[in-house]
Amino acid sequence: MIICTTVNDCMKFEIFSKAKYLVLMNENGEIIEKRNNPALNSPIKRPAVAKECVELKASTVIAPHGSLCFPSYRILKKAGVKILIANPGEDLRSSNLKEVNMKEVIYSSFLAMKERITEH
């Protein structure tokens, strides 16, 4: 099992569009790979992370709250990836994970639109 998520410098969960790193972990929480977040240099921030996780063959994605806009959700679901939600700022090894629901997708989609509007 490969888990894909995004973190900040302190290795705490961070929203897809703002995280510094994308990390891959095994089921024991050991980091297999740490790379620069592809969203930081992409106009489609959240979906860039989802696509990268799929390309890296992740079986599970931990999406920090506010990360999972509809396009990202669709990319991950189509690839058969399990999606869990974490709270931004929590430790990478947090066990406070929840199953994704439509409220999360709607909230994240509105947050993504707000970020796009305020960036320009």
Side-chain angles (χ1 to χ4, degrees):
M1 178 169 91
I2 297 175
I3 301 165
C4 184
T5 192
T6 52
V7 296
N8 60 22
D9 280 327
C10 301
M11 298 305 284
K12 306 236 185 239
F13 289 115
E14 184 61 77
I15 294 175
F16 283 1
S17 60
K18 298 178 188 223
K20 186 161 185 181
Y21 302 107
L22 181 139
V23 294
L24 294 179
M25 303 181 295
N26 64 21
E27 60 273 4
N28 298 324
E30 298 165 345
I31 295 176
I32 300 167
E33 187 173 341
K34 177 179 164 184
R35 54 172 64 187
N36 289 329
N37 182 0
L40 297 178
N41 297 318
S42 175
I44 54 163
K45 298 190 179 303
R46 288 164 175 81
V49 172
K51 286 179 186 175
E52 188 84 3
C53 289
V54 169
E55 287 174 16
L56 293 169
K57 307 222 182 306
S59 54
T60 302
V61 166
I62 299 175
H65 178 58
S67 296
L68 203 63
C69 65
F70 185 74
S72 299
Y73 174 78
R74 194 177 72 233
I75 290 165
L76 295 171
K77 276 303 200 185
K78 185 178 178 186
V81 175
K82 180 179 180 179
I83 306 166
L84 298 172
I85 305 299
N87 292 317
E90 284 192 357
D91 188 71
L92 187 57
R93 286 162 182 69
S94 171
S95 60
N96 190 22
L97 304 175
K98 300 173 275 203
E99 292 285 330
V100 67
N101 59 43
M102 278 289 115
K103 282 183 179 177
E104 176 65 31
V105 176
I106 292 167
Y107 170 78
S108 298
S109 296
F110 279 114
L111 186 60
M113 287 187 279
K114 180 182 173 248
E115 283 179 10
R116 280 191 155 194
I117 291 167
T118 58
E119 280 181 4
H120 294 68

